[in-house]
Amino acid sequence: MIRVLKQPAQLGAIAALGCVLASSAALASSHREAPFIAELPKVDGTDFYMFRSYETGREGFVTLIANYQPLQDAYGGPNYFTMDPDALYEIHIDNNGDAVEDITFQFRFQNTYRNAALPIGPDGANVTIPLANVGPAGNAADVGPGVDDNDGLNVVEDYTLSVVRGDRRSGSVQQASNMTPSSSSDASQFRKPVDNIGEKTISDYATYAQNHVFDVSIPGCSGDSRVFVGQRAEGFVVNLGEVFDRINLDPLGDRNSASNIIEGANITSLALEVPASCLTAGNEPVIGGWTTSSLRQARVLNPMPQGPTNASGQTGPAVEGGPWTQVSRLGSPLVNEVVIGLDQKDRFNASEPAGDLDADTGFGTFVLYPTLPALVNALFDVPAPATPRNDLVAAFVTGIRTSVNGTQTNFTQPQAITDGTGSGGEMLRLNTAFPTGTDAVAPGPDGQSDLGFLACDLNGFPNGRRPIDDVVDIELSVAEGAITADNPNNLQTCDVSGESPTVVNEGAVVNDNAQPDAGEYLTAFPYLNTPFPGSPNPETPVQ
């Protein structure tokens, strides 16, 4: 079995993951998880993925995907789901085990409103239209509209990408360069494709979106990095309604017996692929990652707005200023959703990993004395594990040190934490060299299991997180003892004590009856699939 090794005791390993995260609710991963962020969907981080790229020829790269704006209905016009130009979106990397960011990738957005009009007013005066599109986006139907084919769009989004080394606010900031800029932008800008309005506006959205995958030069990083920002199909899978209804489902039933209730929803992805060597430091292969969004501290509303602020100098509905203030934080899935107490969720979203275990201001109590196993006990009469839960600290805060093939190794724990010189903090961790060394090749999609380590796919969650990883089923199964030494319910798990990892009790998985379908994901960057179109619906043909 996989076991967390923590001195002086040997603790049951990754069982933490499920007990603390999914014992009573496998919720939409981090969608609307706190009272305040529910009011701010444009800056609501929903899922964070970090995994070794498995596109052919990209084995030495790591893909980072930060999703924002939850539960998008494809038909959500006329404004659709532009990003917030007054916000700062960031992806942070800790590569030395001190729970402080060493590298930060910053995304900033600019929305250009073209104020398209029709000459139908008095004496032919122009009257502005109410729509985001006035016609088809480009006319290159055979190859899909290109980056510059925006004549039919009334709103165009651009963004910049910067890299900060050191502290996110006081470190060294350098601008990344677009190696394939459009004719209407310079090398400091990237274009975000318009959302999938419908097939009459963009007939080949998949090609259109792919035209917005850019090669990017990141200062201090050698290698062919890539970036994409745009709407994608929601990749998270969950039987959401039944879970919320006091787990009104068969938790030992067919993993694919119910619908994924958020099937058909879209999401906005900030996807970045960089060489692993650009993220690691020295001989340490383990990196930690998380995403945040921040807003300016002050906002003054304009009682007489004249339209969105744009290059023409129009006065918008609000003026924002002051220092950046973090409003969303997401590393491992479900932490704020089902671990942090309701009264502390907003504070967690404003916090940083380095303070997670602070005796006075941290969140250690929620991990050491989790309430969710006790709630499960009340619902199903399943005994809650004894507290304090030091094993949960290993799983979420310090990383996992385990035994593989009889040899003690750092699975997702940085060596600095093993040596006692580092500091823990909640984040998603990835061993970029696991399992065999620095030349290990991440398996392609044919070698992946959506159950991750439960199926002995040790390149899956919790060693990073891939789109296919069914974090709901993994965590539910572990919650009921799949990875404990005695595995009292004889659940599926991975025995790594022998010469090679071996799946035992195959098929005995505690689950939410909704299973990911590998065919619904891409096998190449940006991995999440083409977003659902707003039109036509299945009953309405394209005119």
Side-chain angles (χ1 to χ4, degrees), residues 94-411:
D94 168 26
N95 58 23
N96 60 9
D98 64 355
V100 176
E101 67 272 4
D102 299 293
I103 304 171
T104 296
F105 299 101
Q106 297 181 334
F107 296 80
R108 293 293 311 276
F109 291 86
Q110 177 183 348
N111 301 338
T112 301
Y113 294 85
R114 294 179 164 182
N115 298 327
L118 298 175
I120 59 173
D123 299 322
N126 285 330
V127 179
T128 55
I129 69 170
L131 306 177
N133 60 311
V134 295
N139 54 16
D142 55 333
V143 296
V147 175
D148 290 316
D149 292 327
N150 300 299
D151 290 344
L153 300 180
N154 203 13
V155 182
V156 176
E157 289 184 88
D158 294 300
Y159 64 95
T160 59
L161 172 63
S162 301
V163 59
V164 184
R165 302 188 185 276
D167 182 89
R168 67 182 80 175
R169 298 294 174 261
S170 61
S172 172
V173 183
Q174 293 178 288
Q175 189 94 36
S177 297
N178 187 346
M179 303 307 293
T180 52
S182 70
S183 62
S184 59
S185 64
D186 59 36
S188 68
Q189 287 189 321
F190 304 83
R191 178 69 43 86
K192 173 182 174 291
V194 70
D195 292 342
N196 197 354
I197 294 171
E199 295 177 5
K200 190 174 182 179
T201 298
I202 303 175
S203 60
D204 183 1
Y205 194 90
T207 301
Y208 168 67
Q210 192 63 33
N211 289 336
H212 291 77
V213 173
F214 298 102
D215 294 327
V216 55
S217 176
I218 299 174
C221 179
S222 60
D224 301 323
S225 300
R226 295 187 292 185
V227 66
F228 170 83
V229 174
Q231 193 178 51
R232 297 280 88 191
E234 173 64 84
F236 185 70
V237 173
V238 64
N239 189 4
L240 193 61
E242 283 76 5
V243 168
F244 271 119
D245 187 22
R246 302 175 72 226
I247 316 182
N248 185 16
L249 48 80
D250 179 5
L252 288 175
D254 185 345
R255 292 186 62 214
N256 199 27
S257 60
S259 63
N260 169 26
I261 195 63
I262 58 176
E263 172 74 19
N266 292 327
I267 204 74
T268 302
S269 294
L270 283 62
L272 184 63
E273 185 186 54
V274 299
S277 59
C278 292
L279 301 177
T280 58
N283 295 322
E284 176 59 74
V286 176
I287 58 174
W290 68 102
T291 182
T292 65
S293 62
S294 299
L295 297 171
R296 294 296 186 182
Q297 191 174 48
R299 170 181 289 180
V300 178
L301 299 181
N302 183 358
M304 293 293 291
Q306 300 299 309
T309 302
N310 59 22
S312 300
Q314 291 178 313
T315 303
V319 177
E320 304 194 16
W324 290 115
T325 303
Q326 183 179 302
V327 295
S328 178
R329 168 188 168 186
L330 176 59
S332 296
L334 301 168
V335 170
N336 200 8
E337 198 114 22
V338 296
V339 177
I340 308 301
L342 183 62
D343 62 328
Q344 299 297 311
K345 287 177 178 291
D346 291 332
R347 188 168 70 86
F348 181 85
N349 268 342
S351 68
E352 299 182 18
D356 284 344
L357 289 182
D358 186 276
D360 297 321
T361 61
F363 303 94
T365 298
F366 294 111
V367 179
L368 291 167
Y369 303 92
T371 58
L372 294 178
L375 294 174
V376 168
N377 183 24
L379 283 172
F380 297 103
D381 197 26
V382 176
T387 56
R389 298 297 302 277
N390 293 314
D391 55 338
L392 303 187
V393 174
F396 289 113
V397 182
T398 64
I400 298 166
R401 185 165 171 79
T402 188
S403 177
V404 177
N405 301 338
T407 301
Q408 185 174 338
T409 184
N410 284 10
F411 183 43

Side-chain angles (χ1 to χ4, degrees), residues 55-106:
E55 178 182 345
T56 301
R58 306 294 286 185
E59 294 83 4
F61 290 75
V62 170
T63 295
L64 309 166
I65 304 176
N67 283 351
Y68 282 85
Q69 302 202 58
L71 306 175
Q72 298 176 16
D73 290 321
Y75 51 80
N79 289 302
Y80 296 94
F81 303 96
T82 58
M83 299 297 278
D84 188 348
D86 293 316
L88 175 63
Y89 301 86
E90 297 177 293
I91 296 175
H92 310 281
I93 300 295
D94 168 26
N95 58 23
N96 60 9
D98 64 355
V100 176
E101 67 272 4
D102 299 293
I103 304 171
T104 296
F105 299 101
Q106 297 181 334

